[in-house]
Amino acid sequence: MTAMIALQKVSLSYKGAGAAAVQNLDLDIPAKTFFVLIGESGCGKTTTLHLINRLLEPDQGRVLVEGIDVRTVDPVTLRRGMGFIFQAIGLFPHLTVAENIGITPKLLGWAPGRITARVDELLDLVRLEPATYRDRRPAALSGGQRQRVGLARALAAEPRVMLMDEPFGALDPLTRDDLAAEYRTIHETLGLTTVLVTHDMTEALLLADEIAVMRAGGIVQTGTPRTLLDAPADDFVRTLIETPKRRARLLAEATGLGPPA
Amino acid sequence: MTDVAWERLPDYLGQHVLLSMSAIAIGVALSLPLAILIARTGWLRGPALGLASIVQTIPGLALLALFYPLLLALSAFSERVLGFGFRALGFLPALLALTLYSMLPVLRNTVTALAGTDPALITAARGVGMTRRQTLTMVELPLAAPIIMAGIRTAAVLVIGTATLSTPVGQTSLGNYIFTGLQTENWVFVLFGCVAAAALALVVDRLLSLAEDGFALRSRARLIASAVGLLLVLVLSVLPSLGGASKPVVIGTKSFEEQYILGSLISDRLEKAGFKAERRDGLGSTVVFHALEANDVDVYVDYSGTLWTTQMKRSDMPPRKVVLEQLSTWLAKRGVRYVGALGFENAYAFAMRRDRAKALGIETLADLAPYASRLKIGGDFEIFNRPEWDAVAKAYGLHFAVQRQYQANFMYSALVDGDVDVISAFSSDGRIAQYDLKLLGDPKQALPPYDAVLLVSPRRANDDKFLAALKPLIGALDLTTMQQANLMVDRPNDKRTAEQAAQFLETRLKR
């Protein structure tokens, strides 16, 4: 089976910066996989994500989506076929919730009736009561509600690929866990291929089918959470993968040393 | 006096609105694409905003004045190359200057608003699959719209205010009230002009603020109300002034009372003869001559000595008959029709308070010379830059301690109040008799004669009907009559308008 998304020997360096943002990157993302890119700030994970929908163009190498070189596709068409979510969400403040969600279908020229129906369907999917939220402005929503709308907007044009850049990063922990779990279900139900960027290993371990650990513009190791836990490629991967365990231990120690309840 | 002011309102307001709205519309149409280009390219930002700021620092009157010679040269050039010229006076220079003025606020606000777009929204716009153009029209411009509208509001208020300054370049506006009022000390007129311009600015500002809210709140009703309101202002104010479609004849005047009275006299006569007369009031002394040559003005009254020195550049002072003969020959060569002299002279005449002159024993300019270095002289805005002044100063060796420039009517009060000792008065001015001023003799004949002469543009030079309406004025006005008419307008009590003084003159014409 060919990969849904493939990066082949991809390199990109930003003008003025000395080191390459990503270097000689190879990545195969099978269809319907929940794929997580993890690493420290500046390791090139966001750059990698942006290379997939041509927000960035590689200096060298090829990016293939469903076997087709993305350079042969009009970038605007390419992006309309993919869902894109990022931490800042970027809801358009001058548009209502319904108009925000319906933007890509509108750009694709869907009939207004079809857009309205789709918007209500998506609001239900992300658990926002359509009648209550349809006509609100983003300013009248909480952070969690905003990201739900962001999610609905990304899903609006029935994409097969979802690109997510720390989508839950700015949310409070409870909302974050709820929304992450809900999204995992949506991913399954709709049969999506999801590429999610995060620096939170707990999130990665909870969500991912497959994880790629990045460091300094390159891939250190790719594998299932199990593989990474059992056979980390080096000390860096081991330290990273053990973060949740280490934090749990620290937490136990901290609460254990405290006065009895 | 307010009756006369109300009577003129349709014409002045209509022209004012047409001028300001055209300037704002063109300014916005130029500024918006330019601002988008600046926001896109980056490097244009400094030069474009810098240039617009410099334009903004040029005083309004100067900017308007600069466009006249520029357009005159352009018109002459296009006449030579393309075979047709255009009117360098009036609407065009005013429109261009005001358009330039309107650009900075719109440009600056648009550039700032576009530069201030949240980068996350640009990323989101690209992420959802918008093209660059869609990002601009669907995200950047809608978000910038309230700030852009605020810029347009600032520009509109600025332009409506500054448009009052377009009177001296021959464009009728609400400024005509202010300039005429200032010349004739008619403060009702000045106030009327100020209030009318301010009211117009206020109305337009409120309507644009409605549009600003409309963009901010995305309220279509507000946007429509604003557009309808602006359209109403335009239609209601411009319609009444679009009366007759026939091409009018244009009467020019310089910026003092006597000129307004004579302008009114001429325009009454021409209208009686069936012409549609239009006034270009308060033009600069040389501007009006060039405008006549260029057919922008069809008729006006000038003074032989002024033309002799400033246009013919002559410094010799032959007798009056010779001056008039040579002048008419010189004018004919330039296509201008010299119709004739009106019969009175309005000469530059240096004047002092009678008591002061007596105390110093001064009768003539020659007597003045030894005291000059201790005395203060007041003049109008032109005299010290005119060749006549150089001639007088040189002939009598006059060097005053202080030189001050006044609006002609303030000059007389300055002399009476003792702020200055000598002024460059005008011999036909009624105030010389009113204040009992001592006119100083010119024994060396340094000053030329200043016969009031009627000049007609090349376009009307052979229009018999036109000339027939004016001919009865030749040789029909003597100095005393003119002084009386001038005093009617100048005197502080029982003041009359220039129109009323013109009607008085009409009854006193020598047949």
Side-chain angles (χ1 to χ4, degrees), chain A residues 149-162:
Chain A
V149 175
L151 181 58
R153 181 172 72 178
L155 290 168
E158 297 166 350
R160 305 221 286 148
V161 172
M162 287 287 280

Side-chain angles (χ1 to χ4, degrees), chain B residues 27-40:
Chain B
V28 171
L30 290 176
S31 304
L32 281 185
L34 188 59
I36 291 166
L37 197 68
I38 291 170
R40 284 273 178 275

Side-chain angles (χ1 to χ4, degrees), chain B residues 31-294:
Chain B
S31 304
L32 281 185
L34 188 59
I36 291 166
L37 197 68
I38 291 170
R40 284 273 178 275
T41 54
W43 64 268
L44 250 175
R45 189 190 170 96
L49 287 185
L51 198 68
S53 300
I54 290 171
V55 167
Q56 206 83 70
T57 60
I58 302 174
L61 197 55
L63 191 65
L64 283 154
L66 282 172
F67 267 99
Y68 174 66
L70 193 71
L71 286 171
L72 205 61
L74 271 178
S75 172
F77 180 76
S78 106
E79 184 118 44
R80 204 150 16 119
V81 178
L82 304 168
F84 65 89
F86 48 85
R87 290 175 54 133
L89 202 65
F91 192 72
L92 207 53
L95 178 71
L96 291 178
L98 292 175
T99 298
L100 270 186
Y101 249 171
S102 73
M103 285 182 69
L104 179 69
V106 183
L107 212 54
R108 195 160 44 196
N109 277 34
T110 309
V111 169
T112 311
L114 289 179
T117 313
D118 182 356
L121 294 178
I122 306 290
T123 308
R126 296 179 71 198
V128 300
M130 287 187 191
T131 60
R132 265 188 102 163
R133 178 177 289 268
Q134 286 167 338
T135 307
L136 182 71
T137 56
M138 298 173 78
V139 178
E140 291 176 277
L141 284 180
L143 288 173
I147 303 175
I148 297 174
M149 275 314 297
I152 295 176
R153 272 175 72 189
T154 312
V157 171
L158 195 71
V159 164
I160 290 171
T162 312
T164 55
L165 298 175
S166 56
T167 300
V169 295
Q171 168 59 37
T172 303
S173 72
L174 292 171
N176 282 38
Y177 286 121
I178 300 170
F179 279 88
T180 313
L182 189 61
Q183 293 302 333
T184 58
E185 290 195 64
N186 183 341
W187 308 124
V188 176
F189 258 45
V190 174
L191 260 176
F192 199 92
C194 291
V195 171
L200 177 64
L202 213 65
V203 168
V204 171
D205 183 62
R206 290 325 301 164
L207 287 170
L208 289 173
S209 128
L210 198 64
E212 190 181 327
D213 291 348
F215 280 120
L217 307 170
R218 290 226 314 163
S219 150
R220 188 156 291 168
R222 281 187 175 80
L223 289 177
I224 291 172
S226 165
V228 169
L230 288 170
L231 203 68
L232 271 178
V233 169
L234 187 67
V235 170
L236 287 181
S237 55
V238 173
L239 261 190
S241 64
L242 292 177
S246 65
K247 210 170 165 80
V249 294
V250 182
I251 298 135
T253 67
K254 302 186 184 191
S255 59
F256 49 92
E257 308 84 334
E258 180 172 293
Q259 285 276 319
Y260 297 141
I261 298 171
L262 292 171
S264 185
L265 178 68
I266 292 169
S267 113
D268 285 350
R269 294 203 130 254
L270 287 172
E271 288 199 325
K272 226 168 269 166
F275 291 94
K276 184 178 183 317
E278 197 180 291
R279 297 272 295 270
R280 290 274 177 275
D281 281 337
L283 300 174
S285 168
T286 49
V287 167
V288 65
F289 180 74
H290 292 305
L292 185 83
E293 276 189 303

